Amino acid sequence: MEPNQSPEQTAKLDRIIEARMKLKRRFEEQMASTPSMTDDKPLGSGPPNRHGMPQIPKSQTVTKKWPVLDLGYHPNIPTDKWQLNLDGEVENPTRLKWPDFMALPQTEDVSDFHCVTTWSQLDMPWVGVRFMDLAALVMPKETATHVMCYGYDGYCTNLSLAEALKPDVLLVHTFNGAPLPLEHGGPVRMITPQLYAWKGSKWIKRIEFLAGDRKGFWEERGYSNTAYPWRNDRYS
C-alpha cells in the first residue's frame, strides 16, 4: 500500500490493474496489427519513433509553436465543475469528478503531435490518465468495438478500441509542467499520438463505448475515419 492510501483506494487500484491485463489480452492482437505499429511502407522521414515509424509523417512540417485549432468556442470549465462520463457498452458506467480522475494512476509521457493541417510538434511532455486505465475502470462489454469522445464545445470524434487502448493515448491535464491551457482543451483533453490529432477531443466530457463504428464531427464532413499519419490518411 502506498503511503496515505486507504484500503479502499488500494483495492480499487488492484481492480484496475487486473482489468487492464484482461483488456491487454483481449485486444493485444488487434493493437499489434494496426498501421501505426506494423506498416511495412510508412510514409515519412527522420529517425524511427517508439513504434518504428518515421518521426515526421509525410507532408508534415515541424513547428515549435502549438497552433490553436477548434470550433471557435473555448468552454471554460473549472475543475470543481468538470466531470467525465464513461458509458455505453460497459459493465460499470461511471461518472468521474476531478478528485476521482486525479486519484487514478497518473502517467508521465513524452510524445509527438501531428495535426491534419500539416504541422507537427515533437517531444511534447504530458501528464494524465491512460485511456487504458479508464477503460479498465468501466470494463467494456464483449460487444464494444469503438468509442465516441465528446467535448464541452459540442465536438465529437470516433476511434476504434484497438487504437484507443494503446499506452500513449492519454487524457491529459498537464503539459510541460503546467496545467493544460484552456485554448488547448484544458482542464482535460485526449491525445492520440499515433493518429492525427483531431481524434483527441479537447475539453473532453464523455466517452461512449460503442458496439460498432459511428462517425464524429469531422468524419461526417469528409475527414478520414481512420486518420493514420504514416499513410497520409487525411480525407475519406
Side-chain angles (χ1 to χ4, degrees), residues 71-110:
L71 301 183
Y73 168 52
H74 295 178
N76 190 356
I77 311 298
T79 55
D80 63 344
K81 301 295 184 183
W82 179 87
Q83 60 183 23
L84 176 67
N85 288 290
L86 304 159
D87 56 25
E89 295 292 306
V90 297
E91 301 291 346
N92 307 301
T94 297
R95 176 178 297 171
L96 299 175
K97 295 186 177 181
W98 188 258
D100 307 314
F101 182 71
M102 296 302 289
L104 294 172
Q106 300 292 310
T107 297
E108 296 183 16
D109 197 25
V110 176

Side-chain angles (χ1 to χ4, degrees), residues 144-165:
T145 61
H146 291 74
V147 292
M148 185 73 76
C149 302
Y150 302 85
Y152 277 95
D153 62 340
Y155 182 74
C156 64
T157 189
N158 61 314
L159 64 165
S160 69
L161 275 174
E163 292 293 351
L165 290 168

Side-chain angles (χ1 to χ4, degrees), residues 202-218:
K202 299 167 76 170
W203 306 291
I204 194 164
K205 69 172 184 178
R206 182 188 177 201
I207 299 173
E208 180 186 10
F209 289 74
L210 305 173
D213 199 8
R214 190 169 78 226
K215 292 182 178 180
F217 181 89
W218 284 119

Side-chain angles (χ1 to χ4, degrees), residues 21-39:
M21 298 308 295
K22 289 181 180 178
L23 284 171
K24 284 182 177 180
R25 290 192 294 270
R26 177 175 156 192
F27 287 95
E28 186 173 25
E29 186 174 341
Q30 292 181 48
M31 289 192 287
S33 64
T34 56
S36 58
M37 302 286 284
T38 60
D39 199 328

Side-chain angles (χ1 to χ4, degrees), residues 114 149 155 157-160 169 189-192 195-202 213-216 218-219 223-228:
H114 305 297
C149 302
Y155 182 74
T157 189
N158 61 314
L159 64 165
S160 69
V169 175
R189 70 164 295 155
M190 191 165 168
I191 59 165
T192 56
L195 304 175
Y196 286 121
W198 90 76
K199 287 292 187 178
S201 177
K202 299 167 76 170
D213 199 8
R214 190 169 78 226
K215 292 182 178 180
W218 284 119
E219 293 81 12
Y223 277 40
S224 165
N225 201 43
T226 44
Y228 297 122

